């Protein structure tokens, strides 16, 4: 091959591809995935990565030569690039967009990080061992302390040591001058797991009879090309089954990818893994580890130095080698899907592909499986179930509190008497409480009591939410912030009031009611501070918080045996959303949060406050009977051709100009209809719309959607991606394609 295709990270534009010619002397060593140096316009030599080769380039293009190969060890393989290409195809987006999402930018910007390390010298050791006082040895007391600390650390990063022992470079240089410490220039891996440094390794638990049976059953399926589903009620001991399987896989010399839906859960999981398998073999990967840490983990992964990688959805792109098992816990979670920006990928879909590449099994686990996952597992005979809690601990049965009855007697109409009583009893007996309020902020909307106007975001057609901590109205779609207006923008009256409630309000009310209890809040508003959520969860695990108020973030995966009461402030939120997944989501949320209660030896209580106690979907959630829920739900899906009976592809056309957005949506729908008829696909590729989206405007852009129900699997999918590949639109219209969308709002 004469030419190499490289990617370069251009400031402000992201990653782009370019061609360069390969000098003769490099021909034998050049490989995909290598870091190289190339001349690039006025910027001179820049870092690039080889992603492909070709013998020809289009006529008339002048190419420059690759200057140098920076590192002969590649950072990714051709196989890896093939996977990214597949992702781009599946999600109807381009390769470069996928590259941007999958390879950390820092990998491209800087190539290696060398850091100064420090250790105590033999002379320093002698000084510490002698019986002389610091003064007699010719050092100050402070210098003596530093030496003592350093001798306990062993070899360590100089910067880290300086930070930890609150000393300066000048002091350290002085000690070096005295021959008491030694500097060394070497590569030191940053390890994002350092927060878990002190965990001792524990043996795996002996499995219960039921767990053992499931474990053996799954072992028989390790060659299955289809995903395996472990449906186990909350606290049934799924994680312990995963651990046994992981042990087998790493003992056989292969590696394991383990995904959790959220960063907080991935961190908790990593801690559990490090406890069982040792910190050296485990790494963590998610969007909030620093670029430097990512770079290091990436290199260790590529060099096959890591056996278990735990992470959130983006970890599916990490270059873990030699995969022998992929586990996706809480597989029903929407967080596995990236909704914005493109690529709008679902980590479960990519994991399935990745598993096929490695001929490794994909194991999905959940107490409330995705309806489609359950359907396929059932039909492929790949379904395993544990319907009892470990040790036969009883599942907490939720009690329903009808707020129409209790509303008046409750605190501010929000916290009913029975809930108050249970909270007091629980905390007084030394146990802990979780309160779920699935909406962040203080109130849900701000309304004028005179004319009924609801204050909406000027750019999006949704109400703004009052946040009491920043004293601002916030738009949860575009993040715009406004201060509270003094007068109604419609009628000028000053009767604006906040209605509905969010986590901030619940936190305040609970603190008012129980001033002597320790109350904290977890929702995505606190995630802005790095590790804030981990710290709060740790505090909660240690029993330093009595009542934890939060959004769905606390409904997931939290395993704290001391929690015996779960209260859901408004259990009906979610069910009434106009979306085909609304009842599935509502059912999942309530079942999951109920599962946080009574996980240890103490029985749990769950209270659902609701204004609609008779609502059908709510009733099934109350009994937590998944199979019954599934049977009703799957019938409805079949009747309306929703997944798993079709694949949904959602197309949105948006523009600041309402008329133009609608017109282009109509044109595209018409062309699509003509094409599907022409190919005889009409019946199997159903096109719905265009209609204005339920959220008709976001960020000043009017939105129209076309929904495609594809009942032709791969063939239909290929047809659709080809169709949209050929579409060109004028610049003021934006086309968004979302394959397998999470919602259709
Ligand atoms: P799940 O993942 O299904 O929610 P976990 O694996 O977290 O359940 O198990 C729930 C609790 O029971 C945990 O505290 C776990 O340590 C404990 N547990 C599960 N299996 C065993 C076992 N075989 N021996 C001892 N403890 C177990
Ligand atoms: Zn008004
Ligand atoms: Zn907005």
């Amino acid at each position: 091959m004469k030419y190499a295709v490289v990617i370069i990270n251009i400031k402000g534009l992201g990653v782009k591809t370019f061609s360069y010619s390969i000098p003769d002397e490099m021909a034998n060593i050049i490989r995909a995935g290598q870091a190289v140096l190339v001349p690039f316009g006025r910027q001179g030599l820049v870092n690039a990565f080889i992603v492909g080769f070709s013998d020809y380039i289009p006529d008339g293009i002048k190419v420059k030569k690759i200057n140098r190969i920076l590192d002969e060890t590649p950072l990714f393989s051709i196989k890896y690039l093939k996977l990214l290409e597949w992702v781009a195809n599946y999600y109807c987006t381009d390769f470069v967009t996928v590259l941007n999402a999958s390879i950390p930018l820092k990998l491209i910007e800087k190539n290696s990080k060398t850091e100064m390390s420090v250790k105590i010298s033999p002379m320093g050791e002698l000084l510490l061992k002698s019986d002389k006082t610091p003064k007699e040895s010719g050092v100050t007391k402070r210098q003596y302390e530093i030496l003592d600390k350093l001798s306990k650390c062993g070899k360590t990063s100089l910067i880290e040591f300086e930070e930890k022992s609150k000393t300066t470079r000048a002091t350290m240089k002085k000690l070096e001058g005295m021959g008491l410490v030694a500097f060394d220039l070497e590569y030191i891996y940053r390890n994002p797991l350092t927060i878990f440094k002190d965990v001792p390794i524990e043996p795996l638990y002996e499995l219960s009879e039921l767990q053992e049976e499931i474990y053996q059953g799954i072992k028989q399926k390790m060659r299955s090309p289809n995903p395996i589903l472990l449906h186990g009620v909350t606290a049934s001991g799924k994680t312990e089954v995963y651990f046994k399987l992981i042990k087998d896989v790493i003992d056989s010399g292969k590696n394991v990818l383990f995904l959790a839906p959220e960063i907080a859960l991935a961190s908790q999981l990593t801690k559990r893994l490090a406890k069982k398998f040792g910190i050296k073999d485990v790494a963590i990967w998610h969007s909030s580890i620093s670029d430097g840490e990512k770079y290091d983990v990436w290199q260790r992964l590529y060099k096959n130095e890591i056996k278990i990688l735990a992470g959130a959805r983006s970890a599916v792109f990490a270059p873990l080698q030699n995969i022998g098992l992929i586990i996706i816990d809480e597989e029903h979670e929407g967080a596995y899907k990236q909704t914005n920006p493109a690529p709008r990928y679902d980590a479960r879909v990519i994991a399935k592909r990745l598993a096929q590449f490695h001929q490794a099994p994909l194991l999905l686990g959940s107490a409330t499986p995705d309806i489609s996952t359950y359907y396929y597992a059932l039909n492929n005979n790949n379904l395993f179930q544990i319907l009892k809690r470990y040790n036969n601990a009883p599942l907490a049965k939720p009690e329903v509190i009808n707020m129409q009855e209790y509303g008046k007697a409750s605190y501010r109409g929000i916290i009913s008497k029975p809930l108050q009583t249970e909270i007091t009893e629980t905390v007084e007996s030394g146990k802990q409480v979780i309160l779920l309020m699935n909406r962040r902020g203080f109130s849900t909307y701000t309304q004028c009591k005179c004319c009924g106007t609801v204050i909406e975001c000027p750019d999006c057609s949704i109400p703004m939410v009052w946040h009491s901590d920043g004293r601002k109205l916030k738009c949860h779609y575009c993040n715009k912030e406004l201060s509270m207006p003094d007068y109604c923008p419609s009628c000028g009256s000053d009767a604006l009031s906040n209605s509905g409630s969010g986590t901030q309000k619940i936190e305040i009310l609970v603190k008012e009611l129980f001033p002597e209890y320790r109350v904290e809040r977890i929702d995505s508003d606190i995630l802005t501070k790095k590790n804030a959520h981990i710290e709060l969860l740790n505090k909660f695990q240690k029993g330093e918080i009595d009542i934890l108020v939060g959004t769905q973030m606390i409904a997931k995966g939290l395993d704290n045996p001391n929690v015996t009461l779960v209260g859901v402030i408004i259990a009906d939120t979610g069910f009434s959303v106009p979306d085909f997944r609304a009842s599935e989501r509502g059912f999942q949320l309530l079942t999951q949060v109920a599962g946080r209660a009574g996980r240890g030896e103490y029985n749990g209580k769950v209270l659902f406050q609701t204004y609609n106690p008779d609502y059908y979907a709510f009733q099934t959630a109350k009994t937590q009977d998944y199979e019954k829920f599934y049977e009703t739900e799957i019938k409805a899906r079949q009747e309306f051709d929703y997944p798993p009976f079709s694949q949904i592809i959602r197309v949105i056309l948006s523009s600041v100009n309402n008329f133009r957005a609608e017109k282009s949506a109509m044109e595209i729908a018409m062309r699509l209809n003509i094409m599907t008829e022409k190919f005889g696909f009409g019946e199997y590729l159903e096109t719905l719309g265009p209609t204005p989206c339920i959220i008709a405007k976001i960020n000043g852009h009017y939105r129209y959607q076309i929904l495609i129900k594809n009942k032709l699997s791969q063939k239909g999918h290929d047809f659709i991606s080809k169709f949209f590949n050929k579409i060109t639109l004028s610049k003021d219209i934006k086309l968004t394609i979302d394959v397998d969308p999470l919602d259709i709002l």
Side-chain angles (χ1 to χ4, degrees), residues 205-208 211 232-240 272 329 390 559 599:
Y205 287 123
E206 191 86 37
L207 293 186
S208 72
Q211 283 171 322
V233 296
T234 51
S236 57
K238 294 186 289 295
T239 312
E240 302 300 332
R272 235 168 130 176
D329 196 23
Y390 174 72
D559 182 27
R599 295 172 69 88

Side-chain angles (χ1 to χ4, degrees), residues 383-590:
L383 175 64
F384 294 88
Q385 288 181 297
I386 315 183
L387 300 179
K388 273 193 280 183
R389 279 192 162 172
Y390 174 72
N391 252 346
N392 282 326
L395 267 178
K397 280 267 171 279
E399 284 166 37
V400 174
I401 297 172
N402 183 352
M403 291 300 277
Q404 291 173 10
E405 237 171 82
Y406 284 103
K408 285 201 189 76
S410 61
Y411 188 66
R412 304 281 192 95
I414 291 174
I415 301 170
S416 66
K417 267 273 144 54
L419 182 55
Q420 292 176 33
T421 313
E422 290 295 344
I423 291 177
T424 312
E425 265 179 29
T426 308
V427 180
E428 290 304 325
S429 66
K431 304 287 181 299
Q432 290 165 281
V433 180
I434 286 178
L435 294 179
L436 176 80
M437 177 67 220
N438 204 16
R439 201 168 259 141
R440 68 196 162 92
F442 183 81
S443 61
T444 326
Y445 54 94
T446 302
Q447 192 171 30
C448 167
K449 290 220 160 132
C450 245
C451 72
T453 296
V454 170
I455 305 226
E456 288 192 343
C457 169
D459 298 329
C460 312
S461 58
I462 60 155
M464 296 196 83
V465 176
W466 176 244
H467 283 241
S468 58
D469 49 5
R471 306 202 57 75
K472 284 261 181 315
L473 286 166
K474 277 191 198 166
C475 170
H476 284 189
Y477 272 87
C478 70
N479 291 326
K480 186 184 260 335
E481 294 185 359
L482 295 176
S483 38
M484 180 69 90
D486 293 328
Y487 304 102
C488 167
S490 278
C491 75
S493 108
D494 60 359
L496 288 175
S497 81
N498 292 321
S499 310
S501 29
T503 41
Q504 289 181 4
K505 187 188 226 160
I506 307 301
E507 183 194 6
I508 290 167
L509 295 187
V510 173
K511 280 180 173 162
E512 278 170 17
L513 261 173
F514 305 104
E516 68 280 23
Y517 296 165
R518 297 161 299 175
V519 182
E520 296 281 356
R521 189 187 94 226
I522 289 199
D523 55 32
S524 54
D525 286 335
I526 66 147
L527 281 189
T528 39
K529 238 174 75 195
K530 200 186 171 188
N531 291 336
H533 59 293
I534 300 183
E535 278 161 29
L536 271 178
L537 286 175
N538 280 344
K539 258 176 93 178
F540 189 61
Q541 295 298 76
K542 280 193 262 170
E544 290 165 12
I545 298 171
D546 299 313
I547 306 174
L548 189 61
V549 177
T551 54
Q552 43 155 357
M553 290 178 68
I554 56 171
K556 299 167 187 177
L558 206 61
D559 182 27
N560 181 342
N562 205 40
V563 173
T564 57
L565 175 64
V566 166
V568 181
I569 306 295
I570 305 178
D572 346 42
T573 28
F575 283 119
S576 50
V577 182
D579 191 274
F580 76 95
R581 282 209 179 88
S583 19
E584 183 179 358
R585 292 259 172 268
F587 177 88
Q588 284 163 348
L589 179 60
L590 294 185

Side-chain angles (χ1 to χ4, degrees), residues 233 367-368 387 395-400 575 586-587 590-592 594 606 608 613 615-630 632:
V233 296
T368 50
L387 300 179
L395 267 178
K397 280 267 171 279
E399 284 166 37
V400 174
F575 283 119
F587 177 88
L590 294 185
T591 309
Q592 290 289 344
V606 180
F608 287 168
Y615 185 54
Y616 155 72
F618 180 64
Q619 284 293 330
T620 49
K622 197 185 83 191
T623 54
Q624 300 186 51
D625 183 349
Y626 180 84
E627 277 161 312
K628 195 163 155 205
F629 171 74
Y630 171 80
T632 333

